[in-house]
């Protein structure tokens, strides 16, 4: 989500005193051809089906078999609900799951001719630029736009929509249930300190961050955390850039680094930044690295992000 949070195997969440490593996704269906075919008869729904996406209504006349996904998040959603066997091409940024048929297609600058070359019967994307949607529709190709979520309900709705469009309503319902259950479990029994813990959520080393008004902020607020960037967001964008002086004065209790892959951020690296050695989070070893991809998408793996943040809260001694 670095423009939307700056464009925020089994699951593994390893939390140490200084780092959280997030990798993989749990619980969602395998999405291979065998699983996809088996689930087609269970909760497959009926066609034609119409749902309303960000760019308007989309109708699919029959169960799609040549889906093109141009968003890493929607690719994860499709495989999670069991529709992976129907996915024929994904964009160049869709790196999870590894089995997804990654291509040179771009989700940020979609090329209509290149997309059409895969003979899709459903195109799913998150960023609708120019006349891409209209151009694909002129070719009689159904297009569903799943815009960046601002709340968990947005994410749940998009997963549900994809379930209906692909014939995997049961798989979608199961994914949503597991997400809700995982998040509820992460939030359960958190300590309630006398003063709420504060946090800084880093998107890049230039101190761009996400406030509590963003999607990622909506995930962390229920954990009893306050965001030090909220007061700095004078433009109400949700993604202000902080000054070093502001951050040092704010002195967060926790620091989450969502730029470990792109920018090699780590607890050890930020501790060497001028003035950072005075931060409570640094002194008390409460700086946590996150997998950039997990932290910037709004699909099933957001559960891992919430779990990591909750574990960080639990690691702070009660006061």
């Amino acid at each position: 989500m670095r423009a939307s949070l700056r464009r925020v195997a089994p699951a593994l969440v390893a939390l140490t005193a200084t780092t959280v490593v997030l990798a993989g996704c749990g619980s969602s269906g395998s999405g291979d051809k065998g699983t996809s075919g088996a689930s087609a008869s269970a909760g497959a729904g009926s066609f034609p089906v119409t749902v309303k996406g960000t760019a308007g209504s989309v109708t699919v006349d029959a169960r799609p078999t040549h889906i093109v996904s141009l968003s890493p998040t929607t690719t994860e959603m499709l495989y999670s609900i069991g529709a992976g066997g129907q996915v024929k091409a994904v964009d160049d940024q869709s790196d999870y799951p590894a089995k997804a048929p990654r291509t040179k297609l771009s989700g940020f600058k979609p090329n209509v001719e290149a997309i059409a070359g895969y003979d899709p019967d459903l195109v799913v994307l998150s960023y609708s630029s120019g006349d891409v949607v209209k151009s694909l529709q002129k070719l009689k190709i159904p297009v569903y736009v799943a815009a960046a979520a601002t709340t968990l309900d947005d994410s749940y709705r998009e997963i549900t929509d994809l379930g209906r469009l692909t014939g995997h309503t049961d798989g979608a319902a199961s994914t949503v249930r597991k997400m809700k259950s995982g998040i509820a479990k992460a939030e359960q029994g958190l300590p309630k300190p006398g003063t709420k813990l504060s946090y800084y959520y880093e998107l890049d080393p230039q101190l761009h961050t996400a406030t509590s008004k963003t999607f990622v902020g909506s995930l962390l607020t229920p954990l009893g955390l306050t965001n030090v960037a909220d007061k700095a967001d004078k433009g109400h964008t949700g993604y202000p850039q902080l000054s070093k002086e502001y951050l040092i004065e704010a002195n967060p209790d926790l620091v989450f680094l969502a730029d470990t892959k792109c920018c090699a951020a780590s607890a050890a690296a930020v501790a060497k930044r001028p003035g950072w050695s005075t931060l409570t989070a640094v002194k008390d070893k409460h700086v946590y690295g996150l997998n950039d991809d997990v932290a910037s998408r709004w699909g099933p793996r957001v559960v891992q992000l919430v779990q990591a943040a909750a574990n960080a809260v639990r690691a702070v001694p009660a006061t």
Side-chain angles (χ1 to χ4, degrees):
M1 297 172 211
R2 281 191 186 93
S4 190
L5 275 190
R6 276 207 70 221
R7 298 292 178 256
V8 174
L12 172 64
V13 179
L15 174 63
T16 68
T18 57
T19 184
V20 177
V21 180
L22 301 177
C25 176
S27 75
S28 20
S30 69
D32 60 23
K33 290 185 178 180
T35 300
S36 228
S39 59
S41 61
S46 58
F47 291 90
V49 63
T50 300
V51 302
K52 186 175 182 180
T54 305
S57 296
V58 53
T59 297
V60 174
D61 293 327
R63 184 173 182 269
T65 58
H66 289 72
I67 301 171
V68 171
S69 173
L70 299 178
S71 160
T73 296
T74 59
T75 297
E76 292 191 20
M77 289 177 174
L78 287 165
Y79 274 83
S80 175
I81 66 177
Q86 298 155 254
V87 176
K88 299 307 175 185
V90 301
D91 68 295
D92 56 357
Q93 299 300 307
S94 286
D95 54 4
Y96 187 89
K99 69 175 73 175
R102 199 170 178 182
T103 68
K104 294 182 179 180
L105 292 174
S106 171
F108 295 112
K109 295 182 178 179
N111 181 299
V112 173
E113 184 177 355
I115 296 169
Y118 286 91
D119 193 25
D121 45 15
L122 176 64
V123 172
V124 184
L125 45 79
S126 292
Y127 311 106
S128 178
S129 58
D131 295 324
V132 173
V133 173
K134 290 182 180 178
S135 297
L136 289 170
Q137 290 173 338
K138 286 181 179 178
L139 296 175
K140 306 301 181 182
I141 299 173
V143 183
Y144 177 76
V145 180
T150 57
T151 67
L152 276 169
D153 284 342
D154 291 337
S155 181
Y156 298 150
R157 174 181 50 77
E158 291 175 358
I159 291 169
T160 300
D161 284 350
L162 288 175
R164 293 183 61 202
L165 289 170
T166 62
H168 292 278
T169 54
D170 284 356
S174 176
T175 293
V176 170
R177 282 197 303 270
K178 289 173 181 176
M179 289 175 67
K180 290 181 176 180
S181 175
I183 290 172
K185 185 176 179 180
E187 295 175 351
Q188 188 175 12
L190 285 175
K192 296 181 180 179
T195 302
K196 282 190 175 183
L197 297 173
S198 62
Y199 75 95
Y200 161 65
Y201 191 93
E202 179 166 293
L203 298 175
D204 63 30
Q206 288 71 49
L207 307 188
H208 286 95
T209 186
T211 70
S212 61
K213 300 299 182 182
T214 62
F215 177 72
V216 72
S218 74
L219 300 178
L220 302 185
T221 297
L223 304 181
L225 298 174
T226 59
N227 192 317
V228 299
D230 285 352
K231 294 181 180 179
D233 191 18
K234 303 302 182 183
H236 305 290
T237 64
Y239 300 96
Q241 180 180 19
L242 306 184
S243 67
K244 179 188 72 175
E245 294 74 19
Y246 178 93
L247 183 60
I248 291 174
E249 184 177 352
N251 193 24
D253 299 301
L254 302 168
V255 169
F256 297 107
L257 303 173
D259 53 352
T260 58
K261 292 180 65 177
C262 73
C263 313
S266 67
V270 301
K272 297 177 182 178
R273 294 176 182 175
W276 277 58
S277 61
T278 65
L279 294 181
T280 295
V282 173
K283 290 189 296 184
D284 293 346
K285 300 187 184 302
H286 293 307
V287 177
Y288 301 93
L290 306 173
N291 180 310
D292 303 21
D293 295 335
V294 174
S296 64
R297 299 172 188 176
W298 58 98
R301 291 195 291 170
V302 297
V303 175
Q304 296 179 17
L305 177 59
V306 176
Q307 289 171 337
N311 287 340
V313 171
R314 290 187 176 92
V316 178
T319 55

